[in-house]
Amino acid sequence: MNLDPKNEAVLFDIQGFSVHDGPGGRTTVFFKGCPLSCYWCCNPESQQLAPQLMYRHSSCVHCFGCVGRGVCPHGAMSLPQSPEDFVQIDRGICARCPEPVCAPQCWHDALQAAGRVYTVDEVMKRLERERRFWGPGGGVTLSGGEMAMQWQFAAELLRRCRERFIHTAAETCSYAPWEHLAAVYENADFVFNDIKHMDPEKHRDATGADNRLILENIARTAQLARDGRLRQIIRIPVVENFNADEENIRATAAYLSEIGAHEVNILPFHRLGASKYEQLGRVYDCRDMPPCPEETLRRIKRQLEAAGLTCYVGSDTPF
């Protein structure tokens, strides 16, 4: 897919009336593509940079119109083994399409495209239309996926927002060249940095990459926050049997104190994205994983606060 990187990007959602991604009401722009592959990811449609086909079984009326000649140019759709089963999709063939051309031909929205190309002008038009509903302090937040994978578009979008006096925020896993992040941060009021685990090997096992670049970038972001350039909030997705143990939280607290970070938001694991894996034809590794116990969250909060950090749990944020 050949895009103008400063003016075009693949997004999978633009969500209005968001209240958890920064102060006030906000519009959150979700970028496709992520350099990590966290096994608990609740937005699996964000991981791949290109648009993808999602098949929602609950909306399928078994008309089998998608199997007809010409709907899929590559013949990825086939009839089920029995009328009660669902349409069979060869995902290997499906990946040949730069965008799911079959999705608009499903009258019942069982087939949907996850992601399409937007221009900066298109996104700005949407933001201008919604800004009247944000309320005091509201604005736009870039999320994903990972917005730094399409950093030129992200930087230009926030520059345009700053020109229009729109409050800006960016959420990032921080696994990107510092120069790319810095270009985005130049016009960011808030930055949310994720910390998954302090141990490089455990981080690699769970996400596909070690954490050394991530921690280096978070420390650099903390310096910008100390200089008054932006406000930094650390986010920790709390996943039982991965990063919730006392030793890892103690190491995390020590690191944050060392770099001068002050605010932490711990986010308990949830399974709200489970159905998306099915729609993508994937198996969700965490389908049977229980939510994080309240006592574990309270203990983590106590540990972080004992280190002098301000800790927010879930949606209990300062916004």
Side-chain angles (χ1 to χ4, degrees):
M1 182 176 296
N2 295 318
L3 302 178
D4 174 358
K6 187 175 179 180
N7 186 56
E8 297 177 308
V10 183
L11 311 176
F12 71 92
D13 196 10
I14 300 178
Q15 178 181 299
F17 307 105
S18 175
V19 296
H20 300 304
D21 299 314
R26 308 188 73 79
T27 297
T28 302
V29 179
F30 291 90
F31 285 68
K32 271 184 71 69
C34 185
L36 305 182
S37 53
C38 306
Y39 66 81
W40 62 86
C41 180
C42 62
N43 287 325
E45 76 276 30
S46 75
Q47 296 176 358
Q48 182 175 308
L49 183 58
Q52 295 169 274
L53 179 66
M54 301 185 78
Y55 176 32
R56 185 183 300 168
H57 295 167
S58 60
S59 298
C60 184
V61 298
H62 296 81
C63 69
F64 304 130
C66 57
V67 183
R69 185 183 301 274
V71 173
C72 174
H74 303 293
M77 309 285 190
S78 60
L79 290 170
Q81 299 298 315
S82 69
E84 293 77 24
D85 290 335
F86 298 104
V87 171
Q88 304 299 300
I89 301 175
D90 187 321
R91 294 285 177 173
I93 296 176
C94 189
R96 298 177 188 173
C97 283
E99 59 180 316
V101 296
C102 57
Q105 302 183 61
C106 179
W107 295 352
H108 304 279
D109 289 332
L111 298 178
Q112 295 185 339
R116 75 170 180 87
V117 176
Y118 287 80
T119 66
V120 173
D121 285 342
E122 283 182 282
V123 179
M124 287 303 302
K125 184 177 180 179
R126 170 78 176 264
L127 298 179
E128 292 285 2
R129 187 171 72 242
E130 295 187 359
R131 68 184 302 177
R132 71 191 70 179
F133 304 111
W134 292 338
V140 61
T141 299
L142 307 188
S143 188
E146 174 50 56
M147 58 85 196
M149 286 194 69
Q150 302 182 79
W151 65 275
Q152 290 161 290
F153 182 97
E156 176 63 14
L157 180 60
L158 292 195
R159 186 192 68 80
R160 294 270 296 271
C161 287
R162 182 64 63 84
E163 285 183 346
R164 297 292 299 143
F165 303 100
I166 294 173
H167 185 278
T168 58
E171 300 176 347
T172 175
C173 71
S174 305
Y175 191 76
W178 173 248
E179 294 76 14
H180 297 178
L181 292 173
V184 178
Y185 292 171
E186 187 172 339
N187 290 294
D189 297 302
F190 270 59
V191 170
F192 299 90
N193 294 116
D194 283 1
I195 291 184
K196 271 75 169 180
H197 205 289
M198 291 302 297
D199 182 89
E201 292 307 314
K202 291 181 179 179
H203 193 283
R204 182 190 297 277
D205 290 343
T207 71
D210 73 37
N211 62 0
R212 283 169 286 193
L213 176 62
I214 292 170
L215 297 180
E216 178 182 325
N217 286 335
I218 290 175
R220 287 182 166 186
T221 308
Q223 181 62 58
L224 295 180
R226 290 198 300 276
D227 293 342
R229 297 270 304 278
L230 48 78
R231 181 174 176 181
Q232 180 190 43
I233 296 181
I234 303 299
R235 282 182 164 171
I236 304 175
V238 180
V239 182
E240 195 78 356
N241 299 319
F242 169 59
N243 64 354
D245 58 279
E246 293 189 32
E247 180 181 357
N248 179 63
I249 298 303
R250 189 179 303 112
T252 304
Y255 165 75
L256 295 178
S257 297
E258 177 186 341
I259 66 172
H262 300 290
E263 296 179 281
V264 185
N265 187 192
I266 58 175
L267 303 172
F269 163 79
H270 61 74
R271 295 194 301 267
L272 297 179
S275 65
K276 297 180 182 181
Y277 285 85
E278 181 181 54
Q279 293 175 50
L280 290 168
R282 295 175 54 185
V283 175
Y284 184 36
D285 293 337
C286 298
R287 59 192 178 278
D288 298 321
M289 184 182 295
C292 193
E294 287 295 325
E295 177 51 39
T296 298
L297 298 175
R298 288 193 291 268
R299 186 257 302 162
I300 292 173
K301 179 176 169 63
R302 289 194 300 269
Q303 281 189 266
L304 295 172
E305 290 178 337
L309 300 164
T310 300
C311 181
Y312 315 106
V313 179
S315 59
D316 179 23
T317 68
F319 312 134

